[in-house]
mmCIF file of all heavy atoms in Angstrom:
data_model
loop_
_atom_site.group_PDB
_atom_site.id
_atom_site.type_symbol
_atom_site.label_atom_id
_atom_site.label_comp_id
_atom_site.label_asym_id
_atom_site.label_seq_id
_atom_site.Cartn_x
_atom_site.Cartn_y
_atom_site.Cartn_z
ATOM 1 N N GLN U 1 35.075 -1.818 -1.526
ATOM 2 C CA GLN U 1 33.980 -1.852 -2.411
ATOM 3 C C GLN U 1 32.854 -2.756 -1.900
ATOM 4 O O GLN U 1 31.691 -2.355 -1.900
ATOM 5 C CB GLN U 1 34.374 -2.202 -3.827
ATOM 6 C CG GLN U 1 35.238 -1.118 -4.518
ATOM 7 C CD GLN U 1 35.759 -1.592 -5.805
ATOM 8 O OE1 GLN U 1 36.641 -2.375 -5.866
ATOM 9 N NE2 GLN U 1 35.103 -1.159 -6.920
ATOM 10 N N GLN U 2 33.277 -3.935 -1.489
ATOM 11 C CA GLN U 2 32.314 -4.916 -1.049
ATOM 12 C C GLN U 2 31.566 -4.326 0.218
ATOM 13 O O GLN U 2 30.373 -4.493 0.400
ATOM 14 C CB GLN U 2 33.032 -6.161 -0.727
ATOM 15 C CG GLN U 2 33.582 -6.858 -1.944
ATOM 16 C CD GLN U 2 34.539 -8.039 -1.590
ATOM 17 O OE1 GLN U 2 34.210 -8.846 -0.764
ATOM 18 N NE2 GLN U 2 35.652 -8.101 -2.258
ATOM 19 N N GLU U 3 32.297 -3.815 1.151
ATOM 20 C CA GLU U 3 31.707 -3.297 2.386
ATOM 21 C C GLU U 3 30.741 -2.082 2.028
ATOM 22 O O GLU U 3 29.646 -2.128 2.710
ATOM 23 C CB GLU U 3 32.849 -2.787 3.368
ATOM 24 C CG GLU U 3 32.323 -2.296 4.638
ATOM 25 C CD GLU U 3 31.701 -3.328 5.566
ATOM 26 O OE1 GLU U 3 32.009 -4.487 5.354
ATOM 27 O OE2 GLU U 3 30.973 -2.875 6.490
ATOM 28 N N GLU U 4 31.186 -1.184 1.260
ATOM 29 C CA GLU U 4 30.312 -0.120 0.799
ATOM 30 C C GLU U 4 29.040 -0.537 0.217
ATOM 31 O O GLU U 4 27.950 -0.063 0.580
ATOM 32 C CB GLU U 4 31.030 0.918 -0.004
ATOM 33 C CG GLU U 4 30.101 2.056 -0.380
ATOM 34 C CD GLU U 4 30.789 3.000 -1.393
ATOM 35 O OE1 GLU U 4 31.368 2.527 -2.338
ATOM 36 O OE2 GLU U 4 30.671 4.256 -1.148
ATOM 37 N N LEU U 5 29.125 -1.504 -0.678
ATOM 38 C CA LEU U 5 27.881 -2.009 -1.398
ATOM 39 C C LEU U 5 26.957 -2.530 -0.403
ATOM 40 O O LEU U 5 25.689 -2.255 -0.424
ATOM 41 C CB LEU U 5 28.267 -2.983 -2.476
ATOM 42 C CG LEU U 5 27.131 -3.566 -3.235
ATOM 43 C CD1 LEU U 5 26.222 -2.453 -3.937
ATOM 44 C CD2 LEU U 5 27.629 -4.535 -4.250
ATOM 45 N N LYS U 6 27.421 -3.414 0.565
ATOM 46 C CA LYS U 6 26.651 -4.009 1.532
ATOM 47 C C LYS U 6 25.899 -2.972 2.440
ATOM 48 O O LYS U 6 24.735 -3.044 2.714
ATOM 49 C CB LYS U 6 27.438 -4.951 2.372
ATOM 50 C CG LYS U 6 26.621 -5.781 3.454
ATOM 51 C CD LYS U 6 27.484 -6.902 4.005
ATOM 52 C CE LYS U 6 28.721 -6.398 4.635
ATOM 53 N NZ LYS U 6 29.476 -7.545 5.211
ATOM 54 N N LYS U 7 26.659 -1.901 2.793
ATOM 55 C CA LYS U 7 26.068 -0.915 3.680
ATOM 56 C C LYS U 7 25.128 -0.031 2.963
ATOM 57 O O LYS U 7 24.094 0.342 3.581
ATOM 58 C CB LYS U 7 27.203 -0.091 4.400
ATOM 59 C CG LYS U 7 27.994 -0.850 5.391
ATOM 60 C CD LYS U 7 28.971 -0.123 6.146
ATOM 61 C CE LYS U 7 29.580 -0.872 7.390
ATOM 62 N NZ LYS U 7 30.449 -0.110 8.207
ATOM 63 N N ASN U 8 25.459 0.272 1.735
ATOM 64 C CA ASN U 8 24.506 1.046 1.006
ATOM 65 C C ASN U 8 23.160 0.342 0.855
ATOM 66 O O ASN U 8 22.107 0.945 0.853
ATOM 67 C CB ASN U 8 24.991 1.463 -0.460
ATOM 68 C CG ASN U 8 25.903 2.618 -0.362
ATOM 69 O OD1 ASN U 8 26.052 3.375 0.641
ATOM 70 N ND2 ASN U 8 26.714 2.848 -1.457
ATOM 71 N N CYS U 9 23.139 -0.881 0.610
ATOM 72 C CA CYS U 9 21.940 -1.676 0.421
ATOM 73 C C CYS U 9 21.130 -1.753 1.706
ATOM 74 O O CYS U 9 19.937 -1.688 1.665
ATOM 75 C CB CYS U 9 22.252 -3.128 -0.093
ATOM 76 S SG CYS U 9 22.776 -3.077 -1.915
ATOM 77 N N ASN U 10 21.858 -1.774 2.823
ATOM 78 C CA ASN U 10 21.160 -1.748 4.059
ATOM 79 C C ASN U 10 20.535 -0.377 4.328
ATOM 80 O O ASN U 10 19.405 -0.299 4.792
ATOM 81 C CB ASN U 10 22.149 -2.066 5.224
ATOM 82 C CG ASN U 10 22.582 -3.450 5.347
ATOM 83 O OD1 ASN U 10 21.947 -4.300 4.896
ATOM 84 N ND2 ASN U 10 23.844 -3.686 5.906
ATOM 85 N N LEU U 11 21.294 0.671 3.976
ATOM 86 C CA LEU U 11 20.657 2.048 4.041
ATOM 87 C C LEU U 11 19.537 2.198 3.142
ATOM 88 O O LEU U 11 18.477 2.849 3.426
ATOM 89 C CB LEU U 11 21.764 3.066 3.792
ATOM 90 C CG LEU U 11 22.855 3.331 4.867
ATOM 91 C CD1 LEU U 11 23.938 4.240 4.181
ATOM 92 C CD2 LEU U 11 22.281 3.872 6.044
ATOM 93 N N GLY U 12 19.653 1.537 1.964
ATOM 94 C CA GLY U 12 18.613 1.564 0.915
ATOM 95 C C GLY U 12 17.292 0.938 1.462
ATOM 96 O O GLY U 12 16.225 1.533 1.288
ATOM 97 N N GLN U 13 17.387 -0.174 2.158
ATOM 98 C CA GLN U 13 16.239 -0.805 2.680
ATOM 99 C C GLN U 13 15.659 -0.003 3.812
ATOM 100 O O GLN U 13 14.374 0.163 3.848
ATOM 101 C CB GLN U 13 16.648 -2.221 3.257
ATOM 102 C CG GLN U 13 15.346 -2.960 3.598
ATOM 103 C CD GLN U 13 14.298 -3.107 2.538
ATOM 104 O OE1 GLN U 13 14.589 -3.562 1.459
ATOM 105 N NE2 GLN U 13 13.141 -2.675 2.847
ATOM 106 N N TYR U 14 16.514 0.691 4.561
ATOM 107 C CA TYR U 14 15.943 1.547 5.662
ATOM 108 C C TYR U 14 15.218 2.789 4.953
ATOM 109 O O TYR U 14 14.102 3.066 5.527
ATOM 110 C CB TYR U 14 17.103 2.074 6.428
ATOM 111 C CG TYR U 14 16.777 2.960 7.678
ATOM 112 C CD1 TYR U 14 16.302 2.379 8.831
ATOM 113 C CD2 TYR U 14 16.888 4.311 7.537
ATOM 114 C CE1 TYR U 14 15.982 3.144 9.938
ATOM 115 C CE2 TYR U 14 16.530 5.164 8.598
ATOM 116 C CZ TYR U 14 16.114 4.551 9.809
ATOM 117 O OH TYR U 14 15.756 5.319 10.877
ATOM 118 N N ALA U 15 15.749 3.238 3.986
ATOM 119 C CA ALA U 15 15.111 4.461 3.308
ATOM 120 C C ALA U 15 13.691 3.955 2.657
ATOM 121 O O ALA U 15 12.747 4.630 2.799
ATOM 122 C CB ALA U 15 16.023 4.961 2.189
ATOM 123 N N ARG U 16 13.661 2.868 2.150
ATOM 124 C CA ARG U 16 12.461 2.349 1.489
ATOM 125 C C ARG U 16 11.404 2.166 2.632
ATOM 126 O O ARG U 16 10.185 2.368 2.437
ATOM 127 C CB ARG U 16 12.687 1.050 0.756
ATOM 128 C CG ARG U 16 13.217 1.240 -0.642
ATOM 129 C CD ARG U 16 13.489 -0.057 -1.344
ATOM 130 N NE ARG U 16 12.421 -1.117 -1.053
ATOM 131 C CZ ARG U 16 11.081 -1.048 -1.624
ATOM 132 N NH1 ARG U 16 10.820 -0.067 -2.428
ATOM 133 N NH2 ARG U 16 10.283 -1.910 -1.211
ATOM 134 N N ASP U 17 11.808 1.649 3.776
ATOM 135 C CA ASP U 17 10.883 1.542 4.830
ATOM 136 C C ASP U 17 10.237 2.873 5.268
ATOM 137 O O ASP U 17 9.149 2.877 5.840
ATOM 138 C CB ASP U 17 11.471 0.888 6.091
ATOM 139 C CG ASP U 17 12.020 -0.563 5.935
ATOM 140 O OD1 ASP U 17 11.443 -1.109 5.035
ATOM 141 O OD2 ASP U 17 12.800 -1.047 6.661
ATOM 142 N N ARG U 18 11.013 3.893 5.031
ATOM 143 C CA ARG U 18 10.526 5.292 5.242
ATOM 144 C C ARG U 18 9.798 5.775 4.023
ATOM 145 O O ARG U 18 9.371 7.050 4.040
ATOM 146 C CB ARG U 18 11.657 6.194 5.564
ATOM 147 C CG ARG U 18 12.405 5.716 6.762
ATOM 148 C CD ARG U 18 11.777 6.288 8.171
ATOM 149 N NE ARG U 18 11.599 7.642 8.085
ATOM 150 C CZ ARG U 18 12.643 8.523 8.622
ATOM 151 N NH1 ARG U 18 13.629 7.903 9.157
ATOM 152 N NH2 ARG U 18 12.398 9.760 8.713
ATOM 153 N N GLY U 19 9.481 5.062 3.087
ATOM 154 C CA GLY U 19 8.716 5.534 1.958
ATOM 155 C C GLY U 19 9.480 6.250 0.805
ATOM 156 O O GLY U 19 8.843 6.894 -0.104
ATOM 157 N N VAL U 20 10.808 6.064 0.814
ATOM 158 C CA VAL U 20 11.706 6.749 -0.132
ATOM 159 C C VAL U 20 12.206 5.712 -1.180
ATOM 160 O O VAL U 20 12.711 4.601 -0.758
ATOM 161 C CB VAL U 20 12.758 7.435 0.530
ATOM 162 C CG1 VAL U 20 13.852 8.075 -0.496
ATOM 163 C CG2 VAL U 20 12.409 8.514 1.468
ATOM 164 N N GLN U 21 12.112 5.972 -2.367
ATOM 165 C CA GLN U 21 12.628 5.052 -3.467
ATOM 166 C C GLN U 21 14.156 5.123 -3.494
ATOM 167 O O GLN U 21 14.700 6.162 -3.289
ATOM 168 C CB GLN U 21 11.985 5.378 -4.815
ATOM 169 C CG GLN U 21 10.529 5.287 -4.907
ATOM 170 C CD GLN U 21 9.989 5.564 -6.341
ATOM 171 O OE1 GLN U 21 9.900 4.714 -7.182
ATOM 172 N NE2 GLN U 21 9.808 6.752 -6.595
ATOM 173 N N VAL U 22 14.737 4.068 -4.001
ATOM 174 C CA VAL U 22 16.201 3.967 -3.825
ATOM 175 C C VAL U 22 16.822 3.372 -5.070
ATOM 176 O O VAL U 22 16.388 2.446 -5.599
ATOM 177 C CB VAL U 22 16.684 3.116 -2.655
ATOM 178 C CG1 VAL U 22 18.176 2.844 -2.604
ATOM 179 C CG2 VAL U 22 16.176 3.771 -1.358
ATOM 180 N N ILE U 23 18.030 4.066 -5.490
ATOM 181 C CA ILE U 23 18.903 3.497 -6.541
ATOM 182 C C ILE U 23 20.178 3.235 -5.875
ATOM 183 O O ILE U 23 20.612 4.143 -5.047
ATOM 184 C CB ILE U 23 18.981 4.474 -7.706
ATOM 185 C CG1 ILE U 23 17.745 4.567 -8.514
ATOM 186 C CG2 ILE U 23 20.068 4.098 -8.670
ATOM 187 C CD1 ILE U 23 17.720 5.703 -9.518
ATOM 188 N N ILE U 24 20.893 2.167 -6.189
ATOM 189 C CA ILE U 24 22.258 1.854 -5.706
ATOM 190 C C ILE U 24 23.264 1.980 -6.798
ATOM 191 O O ILE U 24 23.094 1.515 -7.905
ATOM 192 C CB ILE U 24 22.361 0.465 -5.196
ATOM 193 C CG1 ILE U 24 21.309 0.202 -4.017
ATOM 194 C CG2 ILE U 24 23.834 0.114 -4.717
ATOM 195 C CD1 ILE U 24 21.681 1.017 -2.802
ATOM 196 N N GLU U 25 24.322 2.813 -6.584
ATOM 197 C CA GLU U 25 25.423 2.946 -7.481
ATOM 198 C C GLU U 25 26.473 1.972 -7.061
ATOM 199 O O GLU U 25 26.917 1.890 -5.955
ATOM 200 C CB GLU U 25 26.011 4.328 -7.454
ATOM 201 C CG GLU U 25 25.028 5.411 -7.769
ATOM 202 C CD GLU U 25 25.676 6.760 -7.884
ATOM 203 O OE1 GLU U 25 26.915 6.938 -7.946
ATOM 204 O OE2 GLU U 25 24.794 7.806 -7.880
ATOM 205 N N GLY U 26 26.972 1.149 -8.003
ATOM 206 C CA GLY U 26 27.950 0.125 -7.623
ATOM 207 C C GLY U 26 28.482 -0.607 -8.984
ATOM 208 O O GLY U 26 28.013 -0.374 -10.023
ATOM 209 N N ALA U 27 29.608 -1.313 -8.843
ATOM 210 C CA ALA U 27 30.194 -2.018 -9.786
ATOM 211 C C ALA U 27 30.704 -1.167 -11.074
ATOM 212 O O ALA U 27 30.855 -1.665 -12.127
ATOM 213 C CB ALA U 27 29.192 -3.137 -10.405
ATOM 214 N N GLY U 28 30.855 0.148 -10.663
ATOM 215 C CA GLY U 28 31.350 1.025 -11.799
ATOM 216 C C GLY U 28 32.757 1.365 -11.628
ATOM 217 O O GLY U 28 33.565 0.743 -10.927
ATOM 218 N N GLY U 29 33.230 2.481 -12.286
ATOM 219 C CA GLY U 29 34.594 2.837 -12.335
ATOM 220 C C GLY U 29 35.379 2.063 -13.345
ATOM 221 O O GLY U 29 34.998 1.818 -14.478
#
């Protein structure tokens, strides 16, 4: 879970650099 959250946030920043808005799913279940 920790690894996925970190990688998702890195992907999220990359997407935002491309002009795409981002939501992160986490801490659920």
Side-chain angles (χ1 to χ4, degrees):
Q1 288 173 284
Q2 296 169 42
E3 180 70 17
E4 181 185 42
L5 181 59
K6 185 167 59 177
K7 290 192 172 179
N8 274 350
C9 288
N10 288 337
L11 288 173
Q13 188 53 56
Y14 183 80
R16 278 181 40 76
D17 291 343
R18 298 280 298 273
V20 175
Q21 298 182 93
V22 175
I23 292 169
I24 300 291
E25 298 183 19

